[in-house]
Amino acid sequence: MRFVVVTGMSGGGKRTALKLLEDAGFYCVDNLPIPLMEKFAELVNENSGDIKNAALGIDIRSGEELSHMAKVLDGWKKRGVPYEILFLDAADDVLVKRYKETRRSHPLAGLERIDRGIEREREKLGFLKERAGYILDTSTLLAKELRREIEQLFVENEAFGNLFVTILSFGFKYGIPQDADLVFDVRFLPNPYYEEHLRARTGEEKEVQDFVKQGGTADIFMEKLGDMIEFLLPNYVSEGKNQLVIAIGCTGGKHRSVTIAKELQKRLSSHREIGLKLEHRDMGRDGGGAGK
């Protein structure tokens, strides 16, 4: 029996997460009044034979009652009621963009700007994020990627370290990604751009990958890079970091950076305790200029 409290920022993906949990067989209730939470938990546990797993959606819509939720959670902990908290978050600029796309007003913004409402919401939900066992940053997640994270956590029961890693290939000629935490320059590797039959192809193709890896320098680099990243991951988790962007750059972001990004993804894919995503920012660009 798993009892999950699903909460987080408005626009962070809470409703999507609840729908995914419902698809996975959870009995889901959204926006239940705080005073009824105690009774809901009792009913779920008493009827554990009929309800195998349950999820309860709670967010800023609870209004002033939200301040009483800490007392409810403390009571559950004292009585040994088993529960888990999943907190859905996203960067402020992403939340603002999502609100503008849906043309909805933020519940705490009133007549002010959306970012002011988001600021207030973070303050009010801070105690829930601190208590959360799982924090998912959905800033760069597609629906299918969020589904995979939910399945790993609550269907396959895999370990989770609250860290989602994005491996991002890019071209220096188009600028360094602003959200990158770690940036690695692979312009020292053999460049397929100067080979006529490879120029229009990408690092997703084996012939290009073989060219980039000729001579063994790429393999040595990958070994050292992989060792460093694997050393950093548990340290980032213990420090409380929940989003890591590793940017791999070459001149145009089409050949060398794509090849190395894919190799790094392969190496980290065995780490089931992290979320993992691969992105190629500039691979589809056809801009001219120096080697790629």
Side-chain angles (χ1 to χ4, degrees), residues 172-185:
F172 278 98
K173 67 190 292 184
Y174 302 114
I176 297 175
Q178 293 185 349
D179 59 343
D181 297 292
L182 302 171
V183 178
F184 297 96
D185 183 349

Side-chain angles (χ1 to χ4, degrees), residues 120-176:
R120 291 179 181 137
E121 185 178 21
R122 286 204 182 279
E123 293 175 1
K124 291 181 177 293
L125 295 180
F127 76 99
L128 282 173
K129 189 171 184 179
E130 289 177 0
R131 293 170 181 247
Y134 313 101
I135 301 173
L136 285 179
D137 189 321
T138 65
S139 299
T140 61
L141 292 184
L142 300 175
K144 64 179 181 180
E145 293 164 339
L146 178 57
R147 173 182 291 276
R148 179 58 184 154
E149 291 298 304
I150 295 295
E151 288 176 347
Q152 286 181 338
L153 294 176
F154 302 109
V155 180
E156 300 169 9
N157 296 319
E158 295 191 6
F160 181 71
N162 276 350
L163 181 64
F164 193 89
V165 178
T166 299
I167 301 172
L168 177 67
S169 72
F170 74 96
F172 278 98
K173 67 190 292 184
Y174 302 114
I176 297 175

Side-chain angles (χ1 to χ4, degrees), residues 12-76:
K14 184 180 66 67
R15 290 184 181 179
T16 301
L18 281 171
K19 181 65 173 65
L20 294 175
L21 286 172
E22 188 173 48
D23 291 344
F26 279 69
Y27 181 81
C28 297
V29 176
D30 189 21
N31 199 27
L32 187 72
I34 303 298
L36 298 181
M37 283 181 61
E38 295 261 25
K39 188 63 177 177
F40 180 76
E42 291 177 11
L43 291 173
V44 165
N45 282 285
E46 288 174 3
N47 294 280
S48 57
D50 298 324
I51 302 176
K52 295 182 179 180
N53 298 299
L56 176 60
I58 296 292
D59 56 37
I60 202 65
R61 291 174 296 170
S62 297
E64 295 302 320
E65 291 181 353
L66 190 64
S67 61
H68 302 297
M69 189 169 174
K71 185 177 180 180
V72 173
L73 296 176
D74 288 339
W76 285 354

